[in-house]
Amino acid sequence: MLATVLHGPGDVRFEHVDDPKIVKPTDAVIKLSATCICGSDLWPYRGLQPMGGPAPMGHEYCGVVVEVGSDVRTVRPGQFVVGSFCISDNTCPHCRFGFPSSCEQREFMSGAQAPYARIPLADGTLVATAEMPPDDLIPSLLATSDVLGTGWYAADAARVRPGSTVAVVGDGAVGLMGVLSAKQMGAARIIAMSRHKSRQDLALEYGATDIVSERGEAGVATIKELTKGIGADSVLECVGTQESMSQAVQCARPGAMIGYVGVPHGVQFDGQALFFSQTGMLGGPAPVRRFLPHLMDLVLQRKIDPGKVFDLELPLADVAEGYRAMDDRRAIKTLLRV
């Protein structure tokens, strides 16, 4: 089959690879209905993350099961499924504690920017719908696989509560999903930090009450002004740079929680400053599998529409243009139709 392979910075190819097959009795093979490009895919694409050679790309996926291994019990051929970007057995101590993204058998999904994909640990990783969903819900169901689940985790980790004030650092797809999530969790005020009109508009549609276009110290000062010098009760850090993390810590009130889900690149902490900030922090790879059933249900009941975060849709064969569009910030997130 033809699939997406990253050969080096800026070098994305749609080329022949082996068809996926059952390797272990706990595997499933799915035919993808749609896949997409993640902001984290841009790190190696931009040469900011080392590569050990050509890499199959894609970790967000949904589709129809075509084959299962002999030990798979919870999904069967013909079912529509969504899976987490973190492969997990959903039974180990970490999974049972609510952190399947730290599963003792954890793998990170790859190779999903393709027509077919092998899913290890299918019973623990995949969630099936009761019936085949309508086509217009496919983008939103795809979003639950990672970007919505990650934004939801940021809000959950930051302990967003009804009536609270939330600041969201980052206006990429995850940050926008963080806005949506905070709104669903009942936040009364959601301050989205964004300098881009199209992203500001979507943030407002998803529930943001305030937009702060400044960054760094100026951005922190504006949030403090908006909150009468107090700061935010919850902060969602959705970028992963030194500037964004420092901004998150500084705009949080004493006793606030920071949910950080941006993969850190070059982030360092001043221990004494963190000590006196009196803020808590929880983050890391999102335990999407914990949230998947609830998020899929919200989508299927049409209570949320995370699929709007895909502002560019291309055929899978044009995946290289999808990467370029996101790298140039011409697109928030690219949906790839299979």
Side-chain angles (χ1 to χ4, degrees), residues 39-311:
S40 64
D41 293 332
L42 297 181
W43 292 103
Y45 179 80
R46 291 169 171 163
L48 300 175
Q49 185 172 304
M51 295 179 58
M57 299 300 288
H59 55 260
E60 299 171 85
Y61 56 98
C62 65
V64 179
V65 178
V66 295
E67 186 180 3
V68 298
S70 58
D71 289 349
V72 175
R73 298 288 179 266
T74 63
V75 296
R76 62 182 185 275
Q79 285 187 308
F80 183 91
V81 294
V82 182
S84 167
F85 72 94
C86 270
I87 304 299
S88 61
D89 59 25
N90 215 30
T91 61
C92 83
H94 303 319
C95 289
R96 292 199 303 270
F97 195 64
F99 284 84
S101 48
S102 287
C103 176
E104 291 180 331
Q105 297 191 69
R106 180 184 69 186
E107 299 178 41
F108 288 103
M109 182 64 188
S110 64
Q113 288 167 9
Y116 293 87
R118 168 181 167 260
I119 314 298
L121 300 175
D123 278 339
T125 302
L126 298 175
V127 178
T129 58
E131 55 191 28
M132 199 63 63
D135 189 67
D136 69 306
L137 289 184
I138 297 298
S140 286
L141 287 167
L142 175 63
T144 67
S145 177
D146 179 357
V147 65
L148 174 59
T150 296
W152 193 275
Y153 175 52
D156 182 79
R159 296 179 187 167
V160 174
R161 297 290 184 267
S164 62
T165 295
V166 179
V168 181
V169 181
D171 67 352
V174 171
L176 292 167
M177 294 297 95
V179 171
L180 180 157
S181 301
K183 177 67 173 179
Q184 286 293 307
M185 294 179 188
R189 192 172 197 182
I190 303 171
I191 305 168
M193 308 194 80
S194 173
R195 298 191 298 183
H196 303 88
K197 180 67 165 56
S198 62
R199 299 170 189 234
Q200 292 173 353
D201 290 345
L202 190 51
L204 291 168
E205 185 174 345
Y206 278 147
T209 56
D210 302 87
I211 300 292
V212 171
S213 58
E214 298 89 350
R215 288 186 178 179
E217 296 295 334
V220 172
T222 301
I223 288 180
K224 287 293 183 72
E225 182 180 350
L226 288 171
T227 58
K228 299 181 179 180
I230 296 170
D233 305 319
S234 300
V235 182
L236 283 55
E237 195 287 309
C238 304
V239 184
T241 63
Q242 182 68 61
E243 180 184 58
S244 63
M245 187 65 81
S246 298
Q247 195 165 278
V249 173
Q250 291 178 64
C251 69
R253 69 180 298 167
M257 280 293 293
I258 299 168
Y260 62 99
V261 295
V263 180
H265 287 76
V267 174
Q268 295 182 328
F269 291 99
D270 179 331
Q272 189 169 67
L274 191 61
F275 178 80
F276 282 104
S277 74
Q278 292 193 288
T279 52
M281 303 185 73
L282 176 62
V288 171
R289 179 60 183 81
R290 188 209 311 175
F291 307 122
L292 257 184
H294 178 56
L295 298 181
M296 290 169 64
D297 189 55
L298 289 175
V299 167
L300 291 168
Q301 292 187 44
R302 299 184 184 271
K303 292 182 177 179
I304 58 173
D305 189 5
K308 286 185 178 180
V309 79
F310 297 108
D311 58 343

Side-chain angles (χ1 to χ4, degrees), residues 33-37 135-136 138-140 142 307-319 321-322 325-326 330-338:
S33 300
T35 182
C36 58
I37 300 169
D135 189 67
D136 69 306
I138 297 298
S140 286
L142 175 63
K308 286 185 178 180
V309 79
F310 297 108
D311 58 343
L312 176 63
E313 181 174 326
L314 295 171
L316 181 57
D318 293 341
V319 61
E321 168 57 21
M326 288 178 63
R330 288 184 283 116
I332 301 171
K333 193 168 179 68
T334 302
L335 178 77
L336 301 169
R337 282 287 185 176
V338 180

